[in-house]
Amino acid sequence: DAKTTQPNSMESNEEEPVHLPCNHSTISGTDYIHWYRQLPSQGPEYVIHGLTSNVNNRMASLAIAEDRKSSTLILHRATLRDAAVYYCILSRSGGSNYKLTFGKGTLLTVNP
Amino acid sequence: GAVVSQHPSWVICKSGTSVKIECRSLDFQATTMFWYRQFPKQSLMLMATSNEGSKATYEQGVEKDKFLINHASLTLSTLTVTSAHPEDSSFYICSARDTAKGGGEQYFGPGTRLTVT
């Protein structure tokens, strides 16, 4: 499986934008870029995913580099409820598995 | 939005007994469900992929005879931890893919905390 690299931790202030980076230099053409987040003692929550083009949804935006070797999850206005571990995961399309391999993720702290 | 439930949310059992954990997709059908385990301060580790109507596919190092998975319907998968031991104490999380969607995103349950005494 292609691997991703994320910073161990990041800090942000409430109501400011947050840019969470992810490097995936060995990504293949059929790999989707997924982002999930996990609050303490809860199951992960789907945030966003994309293949080549930038994506927006109600939770966040995903900016994908032109060569697809990196991406950035953007939270436009961080709130205290956004404090979580954020996972950037590559998942191969097709087939019946769509397995997700979780790395260590980035622990985001949001300061009031 | 897609909702996945797990039951029970927590369970305490004695060493040597078996525990069954249920995972249900409440508002969508899931041909494929996944089971993960998470130890304190660690990331999620995929244990197995559960496919409706067929045998589960286990990840390397996961004992299939110890962690029995049944996916008998499009909305229910169960994980049974047989002959549980204290080292099986962990946070067990399931996820499900919406069969009707092609995007591959998974929806996770809230997790089940198992403590074996």
Side-chain angles (χ1 to χ4, degrees):
Chain A
D1 292 336
K3 189 178 173 177
T4 63
T5 304
Q6 299 177 251
N8 289 333
S9 62
M10 289 186 66
E11 231 176 286
S12 173
N13 295 320
E14 203 175 4
E15 298 192 3
E16 290 185 356
V18 182
H19 291 234
L20 296 163
C22 180
N23 287 318
H24 27 79
S25 58
T26 60
I27 191 170
S28 76
T30 55
D31 283 333
Y32 281 81
I33 302 160
H34 288 250
W35 283 84
Y36 288 80
R37 70 181 185 182
Q38 185 180 25
L39 279 66
S41 298
Q42 295 187 27
E45 175 186 26
Y46 167 79
V47 178
I48 201 168
H49 79 283
L51 184 61
T52 56
S53 304
N54 295 342
V55 185
N56 300 298
N57 65 22
R58 62 176 179 81
M59 288 182 68
S61 295
L62 176 60
I64 301 172
E66 201 168 323
D67 63 6
R68 300 209 327 127
K69 292 187 177 182
S70 66
S71 61
T72 302
L73 179 70
I74 302 165
L75 306 179
H76 296 285
R77 288 183 70 214
T79 70
L80 297 178
R81 292 172 61 180
D82 291 322
V85 178
Y86 286 78
Y87 297 98
C88 168
I89 304 168
L90 301 183
S91 178
R92 196 137 293 176
S93 66
S96 61
N97 282 347
Y98 292 93
K99 289 182 358 178
L100 298 178
T101 301
F102 283 77
K104 295 183 179 179
T106 297
L107 174 63
L108 175 65
T109 302
V110 180
N111 300 314
Chain B
V3 179
V4 174
S5 70
Q6 281 185 241
H7 178 79
S9 55
W10 59 270
V11 58
I12 301 173
C13 72
K14 291 185 183 298
S15 187
T17 61
S18 296
V19 174
K20 180 186 283 189
I21 302 170
E22 292 185 350
C23 176
R24 293 181 186 273
S25 57
L26 298 186
D27 49 2
F28 64 97
Q29 293 187 331
T31 305
T32 304
M33 291 183 172
F34 303 87
W35 287 96
Y36 298 82
R37 181 166 56 178
Q38 185 174 33
F39 292 107
K41 298 192 184 300
Q42 293 187 24
S43 189
L44 283 77
M45 185 192 80
L46 178 65
M47 299 175 67
T49 302
S50 168
N51 294 298
E52 186 266 337
S54 65
K55 289 184 180 179
T57 303
Y58 291 81
E59 295 299 301
Q60 192 171 7
V62 178
E63 299 174 59
K64 63 178 69 174
D65 294 330
K66 181 171 181 62
F67 299 100
L68 302 179
I69 291 173
N70 184 280
H71 192 157
S73 79
L74 287 172
T75 58
L76 173 64
S77 176
T78 60
L79 168 69
T80 301
V81 183
T82 63
S83 186
H85 292 285
E87 57 265 31
D88 298 322
S89 298
S90 187
F91 192 47
Y92 290 86
I93 307 169
C94 71
S95 71
R97 277 196 61 235
D98 187 339
T99 304
K101 292 186 177 180
E105 61 263 40
Q106 294 181 20
Y107 302 99
F108 286 79
T112 297
R113 189 161 302 282
L114 170 64
T115 303
V116 185
T117 61

